Amino acid sequence: MGVVLQGAGGAAGLAFGPAYRWQRAAVAVDPPHEPPDAALARFHAAQRAAASRLRALAERQRASGLREADLFDAQALLVEDETLTDGVTALVLEGEPLTQAIQTVVAQMQAVLAELDDPYLRERAADMAAVGLELLRALAGDQASPTIPPGAIIVADDLTPAETVDLPHHVAGFATAGGGPTGHTIILARARGVPAVVGVGEAILHVPDGTSLLVDGDAATVLIDPDEAALQAAQERIAALQAARQRRAALRDRSGQLRDGRPVALWANIGRPAEARLAREHGAEGVGLFRTEFLFLDRATPPDEDEQYAAYRAVLAELPDCPIVIRTLDIGGDKPLPYLPLPPEANPFLGVRGLRLSMQRPDLFQTQLRALLRVAVHGDIWIMLPMVATPADLAWARAQLGEAAAALAAAGVDHRPDPPLGVMIETPAAVVLADQLARQAAFFSIGSNDLAQYTLAVDRGHATLAARYRADDPAVWRMIELAARAARQAGIPIGICGELGGDPNAAPALAGLGLDELSMAPASIPAVKERLAQITWAEAQAAAARALGAEEQG
Amino acid sequence: MTEVVLTVNNPVGLHARPAKVFVETVRAYKSTVTIQNLSRPQTKEVPVTAFNLLQIGVRQGHQIRLRASGEDEAEVIAALTKLVEENFGE
């Protein structure tokens, strides 16, 4: 007879396997009568070790393209926090053993957070607890990690984010007694694709090792010792999920197309060279948006030509025969850079950003264009301009490109003078003048996030108006349709690289409007590809017609 | 002493990456910088550290007061103002 435990939150998916009770390595024992200076030296060494382990985890997460990387940076910062350092130092000087001092101060800091009136902040107490555990772990030094049997369901009191990402890949799933629905542990489990349930309660800890557990991340439940019927239902669901994954995996090496063979290319949006691998693994046929901001952020001086060249080259190495659309620097008053003093603007979204910044700083633009022209010799590089509003904007950029090519030619540097130069369609002006732009541009790509924001005149982050922001509003669909029609008439390709492009429900209408390419986060590609393979061109056109007239259906 | 009152508008408030950038910016200057979350009147004025930013819980829409004293107080306040007004590049 099975017992069901309800958890506070889950990471989607079903897993069935034997319970394995996971325990943290024992806390190191402090040497007896340790002088305070020796204890503090060990403390500082542990702080450094824990911070560097957390930063390394952040790097690893970042390299796999996971957003959650920032969390480990934030924890690294807390490991070296002054409140913690001062508190521990004071206690140690009073003669308290180091381990106890750390536990006391961390518990105090945790208590401060746990008492706050904000549920989100109360959950951050867990961050503090994790920081304490990381410190104790560093203090104990490296220890052999336990051997976890393949296919096991991990049962734990709680897992810190670092412990979660360190679980071996052969774990089937996990269930923890503690933890909340917005905690980092569950977010990381989702990012890793591991079925998991958190906040199940203490009862789970009394389950003997080897007991059959069914973890249902969708329902946030753990079924202990499931009966035959429950097991069979679960196994059917697991099989269906696996079949969907396999169906999609089978599509991986097929190019994107509708059921009747009409091609719709599926490209990836990436923000760092390391994400190109992720794009390839998900079956991307190209890169529809390579954001170059990462090169410019978090540093004191702008990147030089060679550094940029190396970064662009790295993407080509991963996806050698694919078109790579590289967007020139898209930064504005809302993304500050130390070497780019921009006066505060009353309305940064209508201010100096994207290509407008390049116009104010042609030196930065020239460096980037030169790097791009040099890389273009080695692969299919397309250059995309952000925040173009008028044909004059595009003409200016084209003249700049000519200038960069002439300079490289004069210096005898190998380069391609004429890679495709295209426009990101994200302003209503660019849509209205799309016919004129299309005569000058080599391609269009719809930046649906900003296009929706400017079309609907709604800030998507606005506290009370955000609900009015819909990238699939009929007004936005009509904008896309106008741009697509202009592209078709001029005979240039048009794609989309906003979030709408990765929505399987929007894919039929986007294909129906005649978009040649949909670009999205790599992980979104399989589901969109599958959706497109299910519909015909006529069905796609019908979906487009419905999207354009959606208001009539109320 | 240099002082400024700002409204934090980025979605996560002063947590995660913005908190990191904020603390690192303060560390890059010599002046002492304190912060108070005016939108949570029960919280105190505290030095800018990672933990203190957590405990004063600055969320989107909150007003904060920054005070700096030291030789580069004007510069650090200018740099922090810029970060906040430009939503930490989010």
Side-chain angles (χ1 to χ4, degrees), chain A residues 81 117-118 120 333-334 336, chain B residues 15 40 42 50-51 59 86 89:
Chain A
D81 185 83
D117 56 0
D118 181 321
Y120 174 84
D334 55 326
Chain B
H15 182 64
R40 285 185 198 271
Q42 68 279 24
F51 175 70
R59 308 293 299 273
E86 296 172 349

Side-chain angles (χ1 to χ4, degrees), chain A residues 27-385:
Chain A
V27 169
V29 179
D30 293 314
H33 313 298
E34 189 180 26
D37 53 345
L40 289 177
R42 281 202 302 131
F43 175 51
H44 295 140
Q47 280 182 303
R48 279 194 299 276
S52 84
R53 170 175 137 89
L54 288 164
R55 293 207 171 93
L57 283 177
E59 271 319 300
R60 210 170 82 197
Q61 298 297 303
R62 210 162 270 133
S64 4
L66 293 180
R67 228 174 247 283
E68 287 67 27
D70 291 344
L71 155 71
F72 294 108
D73 276 329
Q75 290 192 354
L77 218 55
L78 281 172
V79 161
E80 298 177 317
D81 185 83
E82 287 87 342
T83 311
L84 176 68
T85 310
D86 295 350
V88 170
T89 307
L91 287 181
V92 167
L93 290 176
E94 282 168 19
E96 197 161 319
L98 177 58
T99 303
Q100 199 182 312
I102 293 174
Q103 283 167 333
T104 306
V105 176
V106 167
Q108 283 165 357
M109 291 168 78
Q110 215 181 320
V112 169
L113 297 178
E115 278 166 17
L116 294 174
D117 56 0
D118 181 321
Y120 174 84
L121 289 169
R122 276 201 299 273
E123 278 210 346
R124 303 286 76 79
D127 283 351
M128 205 54 235
V131 162
L133 290 169
E134 282 302 313
L135 268 174
L136 294 178
R137 177 193 166 111
L139 214 50
D142 281 332
Q143 293 184 355
S145 43
T147 317
I148 299 171
I153 305 280
I154 298 288
V155 172
D157 198 357
D158 203 352
L159 293 168
T160 69
E163 287 161 352
T164 309
V165 301
D166 260 0
L167 287 178
H169 275 274
H170 61 244
V171 162
F174 66 80
T176 63
T182 59
H184 292 307
T185 301
I186 202 68
I187 293 170
L188 285 164
R190 283 187 201 124
R192 260 187 69 168
V194 186
V197 179
V198 297
V200 174
E202 298 287 324
I204 190 77
L205 301 177
H206 304 306
V207 169
D209 269 7
T211 310
S212 293
L213 292 184
L214 180 65
V215 167
D216 184 341
D218 301 290
T221 57
V222 180
L223 190 50
I224 301 170
D225 231 346
D227 60 25
E228 223 21 70
L231 210 54
Q232 200 180 335
Q235 271 161 350
E236 276 163 22
R237 266 178 66 202
I238 292 177
L241 287 171
Q242 261 171 359
R245 239 197 323 271
Q246 270 164 10
R247 262 196 336 264
R248 290 171 186 175
L251 289 176
R252 204 195 81 129
D253 296 318
R254 217 176 85 179
S255 59
Q257 50 182 274
L258 304 185
R259 201 171 79 213
D260 46 15
R262 184 186 163 92
V264 180
L266 296 170
W267 293 3
N269 295 345
I270 62 173
R272 284 169 191 276
E275 293 168 21
R277 186 170 57 90
L278 219 58
R280 186 165 51 77
E281 286 169 0
H282 284 93
E285 300 161 63
V287 170
L289 169 63
F290 179 18
R291 304 180 186 91
T292 56
E293 288 73 60
F294 78 98
L295 281 163
F296 295 83
L297 298 172
D298 297 327
R299 55 191 296 159
T301 54
D304 66 17
E305 188 181 315
D306 287 340
E307 182 180 347
Q308 294 192 44
Y309 173 85
Y312 307 148
R313 207 47 215 274
V315 174
L316 274 185
E318 200 64 59
L319 297 160
D321 299 314
C322 300
I324 311 287
V325 179
I326 305 184
R327 183 176 68 187
T328 61
L329 180 60
D330 188 12
I331 262 174
D334 55 326
K335 295 176 191 164
L337 298 178
Y339 50 88
L340 250 183
L342 293 168
E345 296 176 317
N347 200 338
F349 280 96
L350 303 180
V352 178
R353 54 193 311 240
L355 190 65
R356 297 166 180 181
L357 175 65
S358 298
M359 290 175 154
Q360 294 198 352
R361 287 293 300 270
D363 55 321
L364 289 181
F365 196 50
Q366 278 296 319
T367 306
Q368 186 164 33
L369 290 178
R370 285 166 58 107
L372 289 168
L373 292 178
R374 282 172 55 198
V375 170
V377 173
H378 305 286
D380 193 5
I381 300 286
W382 303 14
I383 301 176
M384 179 159 74
L385 305 166

